[in-house]
Amino acid sequence: NKTVLDLFNVLSTDNDLKPIDDTSKVRYDYISITTDPDVDGYHISRMMLLFFNRFFPKLIEEGRIILSQIPLYGYYDKKKFIGVYDLNEAKAMLANGKKLMRHKGLGEFDPDELEVILFHEARYIVVTKELIDNMKGQEL
């Protein structure tokens, strides 16, 4: 698969598609998997996690793979964007008359909003072997 080969080449100086045991060959300190907060994004995240588990298991052991958490909803408090990550919290806010913006994917965020959620107030999950093992048996 060309995409897998491209990912492998971007991440490592080694081109033989074998699992990397020496993480000093990896070009980045951390890898963030950032996908849309929907079913398609979930599928892509799972595929990426399986890729890293197969070819870069040491990065997972070292805590260098993270899953970025992207809010489904958000609102502005004055000029500051506030992401709402919890669906129950969003439902309660909507029930109380709060106006929320619904984001269907990363492409719908303004650059300022993306800067807040990806860098200034980033929420993420550090990927572990246990997370991947638990994910393997789950159906969508």
Side-chain angles (χ1 to χ4, degrees):
N1 182 309
K2 182 180 177 345
T3 303
V4 170
L5 186 59
D6 288 346
L7 269 171
F8 206 90
N9 289 331
V10 165
L11 294 170
S12 174
T13 57
D14 208 347
N15 292 338
D16 62 5
L17 289 179
K18 292 180 183 173
I20 300 294
D21 292 325
D22 180 5
T23 58
S24 68
K25 294 180 180 183
V26 175
R27 294 186 175 129
Y28 304 96
D29 291 333
Y30 290 91
I31 291 100
S32 175
I33 299 170
T34 306
T35 61
D36 289 347
D38 59 14
V39 173
D40 291 337
Y42 180 71
H43 283 283
I44 293 166
S45 293
R46 285 179 67 154
M47 287 188 289
M48 293 300 301
L49 290 174
L50 293 173
F51 167 81
F52 283 109
N53 192 47
R54 168 72 174 92
F55 294 110
F56 296 89
K58 292 281 188 195
L59 290 178
I60 294 169
E61 290 173 19
E62 294 171 2
R64 293 172 56 187
I65 307 292
I66 60 175
L67 285 171
S68 295
Q69 302 298 288
I70 306 300
L72 282 171
Y73 295 91
Y75 64 94
Y76 280 90
D77 183 15
K78 299 179 183 160
K79 291 188 177 188
K80 182 180 179 189
F81 177 77
I82 309 292
V84 180
Y85 296 83
D86 183 83
L87 185 57
N88 291 328
E89 180 184 352
K91 286 179 181 179
M93 293 172 88
L94 288 166
N96 289 325
K98 182 75 173 174
K99 297 216 186 273
L100 298 177
M101 297 177 294
R102 170 74 162 92
H103 292 97
K104 294 179 184 171
L106 292 167
E108 292 189 3
F109 286 95
D110 291 335
D112 294 341
E113 295 168 354
L114 275 176
E115 185 175 332
V116 168
I117 63 174
L118 293 178
F119 302 111
H120 300 295
E121 297 177 12
R123 292 186 184 194
Y124 57 87
I125 297 169
V126 176
V127 176
T128 63
K129 289 285 190 183
E130 293 79 20
L131 176 75
I132 292 172
D133 289 343
N134 290 336
M135 174 192 75
K136 286 180 184 175
Q138 293 180 359
E139 292 295 322
L140 296 176

